[in-house]
Amino acid sequence: MASKVFRSVVRASQQSLGRSYGSSATRTVTLIPGDGIGPEISASVQKIFAAAHVPIEWEVVDVTPVKGPDGKMGIPQAAIDSVNRNKIGLKGPLMTPVGKGHRSLNLAIRKEFELYANVRPCRSLEGYPTNYRNVDVVTIRENTEGEYSGIEHEIVDGVVQSIKLITSAASLRVAEFAFKYAVDNGRSRVTAVHKANIMRMSDGLFLQKCREAAERYPDIKFEETYLDTVCLNMVQDPSQFDVLVMPNLYGDILSDLCAGLVGGLGLTASGNVGEGGAVFESVHGTAPDIAGLDKANPTALLLSAVMMLRHMDLYDHAAKIERACLDAIKEPDNRTGDLGGSAKCSAFTDAICKKIEAS
């Protein structure tokens, strides 16, 4: 099926995401609350959705790792079945213990459902000033291979090798996605981020496939820039960039850098798209130090849920919730600790609900 593209967090125009859900029937969405502050911010999103009368039923699943036949910890089958059945999910932050026998659950989810493109729109929020103004950048990250392929082994004692896997098919797929995103969202430029000067074969293949995709989109300006140069130029003047597409590890780093320009991961939406479904997520950590203290900021998960609504063609509900969230952030009394305020998660949630009900 044609890959869906995501609507930027604060854009007003509607976009086709390639999958038609219709607008009247109630749909079931898999909800993975996550760890640490995950259950609190997930409950906040559920309360706000209820206030907005979003036609969604939540199927809450637990992804606490279980031991598989290979002795490694992985996603429970019930959670896998839920996402496969519903084709759409919302996920809070997940913690992966450090050490042998533990796979990254975030990585496992992307691989299990072949969520090949991560889309992270970073745009300045009206009413919440940072050191950078008018930031409007979208990072598109290849999600399934690269350094995160998990291919590591010890050659001899004290020498470990990690393999960076780059394939023609995956590179072309995410490059095509990036150009289609640019077309469907009125963007003018796609930049391929790479280090082909050093990794001539792996990054060279990725860059080659980006060039091939660019040939099919002559109306979109195509640029190719080294990763280190992009990082330097991004912090000097982010307006130089529009849509950026890159391999997995580069995308992990650069998308967080871009989030820092607009206020941090607590304000950043994120979605992962695949051929058969999509999972939207907050990309910040589990913050165990404030878990259960009613101090968490639910904005990232809420804005990711707004992306999810647009993916499901629920544009009116998305616009109403987004506007209420951004209007609440404008008021300093509603800001949580990470935004320089002292509001509780519950109070911020209530403020958003009141604005929705008044609209």
Side-chain angles (χ1 to χ4, degrees):
M1 90 180 175
S3 63
K4 281 197 169 187
V5 293
F6 297 93
R7 180 175 170 178
S8 202
V9 172
V10 290
R11 289 189 180 275
S13 61
Q14 294 185 353
Q15 301 171 21
S16 170
L17 301 184
R19 177 185 175 95
S20 178
Y21 283 84
S23 58
S24 59
T26 297
R27 273 132 305 164
T28 303
V29 172
T30 299
L31 176 62
I32 303 171
D35 303 315
I37 61 173
E40 297 169 67
I41 61 176
S42 296
S44 170
V45 170
Q46 288 177 286
K47 184 173 182 178
I48 292 166
F49 271 43
H53 303 289
V54 179
I56 278 178
E57 289 184 358
W58 301 100
E59 183 175 348
V60 182
V61 298
D62 182 11
V63 293
T64 300
V66 294
K67 184 173 290 187
D70 59 359
K72 294 184 178 180
M73 308 301 286
I75 305 169
Q77 188 61 44
I80 294 173
D81 293 342
S82 176
V83 176
N84 280 331
R85 181 170 55 251
N86 299 325
K87 308 297 184 187
I88 188 84
L90 182 67
K91 182 182 74 63
L94 296 174
M95 179 185 70
T96 299
V98 177
K100 291 184 177 180
H102 294 284
R103 295 170 176 158
S104 164
L105 287 177
N106 293 308
L107 180 58
I109 288 172
R110 294 171 198 146
K111 285 193 171 184
E112 178 67 38
F113 305 111
E114 196 64 17
L115 304 174
Y116 66 86
N118 173 260
V119 181
R120 191 96 67 89
C122 289
R123 186 179 173 109
S124 299
L125 298 188
E126 180 186 351
Y128 186 72
T130 68
N131 291 332
Y132 296 85
R133 296 182 180 180
N134 302 317
V135 178
D136 187 8
V137 175
V138 179
T139 59
I140 297 178
R141 162 189 175 188
E142 202 293 315
N143 238 358
T144 64
E145 52 182 36
E147 290 87 350
Y148 292 178
S149 300
I151 307 172
E152 294 184 313
H153 57 272
E154 188 173 47
I155 301 174
V156 296
D157 187 33
V159 180
V160 175
Q161 183 179 59
S162 179
I163 296 176
K164 173 177 179 173
L165 179 68
I166 297 289
T167 66
S168 173
S171 299
L172 183 59
R173 180 173 60 178
V174 77
E176 289 274 7
F177 183 95
F179 280 96
K180 188 174 188 305
Y181 179 96
V183 170
D184 291 348
N185 289 271
R187 299 278 182 163
S188 62
R189 185 167 70 256
V190 171
T191 301
V193 182
H194 67 96
K195 286 294 291 182
N197 57 324
I198 304 298
M199 287 167 278
R200 298 181 182 276
M201 294 184 70
S202 56
D203 279 23
L205 177 59
F206 180 85
L207 187 56
Q208 175 189 339
K209 295 304 165 182
C210 288
R211 290 169 178 167
E212 290 180 15
E215 290 176 358
R216 293 190 278 275
Y217 294 87
D219 294 334
I220 301 297
K221 183 178 180 181
F222 174 61
E223 300 173 340
E224 42 193 72
T225 309
Y226 296 143
L227 171 65
D228 44 343
T229 302
V230 171
C231 291
L232 173 64
N233 292 341
M234 185 69 73
V235 298
Q236 290 178 327
D237 180 12
S239 68
Q240 299 176 60
F241 300 103
D242 192 353
V243 176
L244 301 103
V245 61
M246 64 213 83
N248 206 335
L249 175 63
Y250 306 163
D252 191 9
I253 296 169
L254 192 54
S255 60
D256 279 11
L257 185 154
C258 292
L261 305 179
V262 299
L265 295 177
L267 297 175
T268 306
S270 178
N272 302 285
V273 65
E275 296 291 347
V279 175
F280 299 81
E281 62 182 349
S282 56
V283 291
H284 53 68
T286 58
D289 56 320
I290 61 170
L293 300 180
D294 197 22
K295 293 182 177 181
N297 179 3
T299 301
L301 189 63
L302 182 60
L303 293 180
S304 298
V306 166
M307 287 179 71
M308 180 187 75
L309 291 180
R310 290 181 172 130
H311 178 82
M312 300 172 71
D313 303 328
L314 295 170
Y315 298 108
D316 291 342
H317 291 90
K320 181 183 293 187
I321 293 171
E322 179 182 79
R323 186 72 266 157
C325 176
L326 299 181
D327 285 347
I329 291 174
K330 286 181 184 179
E331 301 170 7
D333 288 345
N334 292 329
R335 295 176 186 168
T336 50
D338 60 314
L339 301 182
S342 58
K344 300 290 188 181
C345 177
S346 55
F348 179 52
T349 301
D350 289 343
I352 295 172
C353 290
K354 288 177 181 177
K355 291 183 183 298
I356 289 171
E357 292 163 356
S359 64

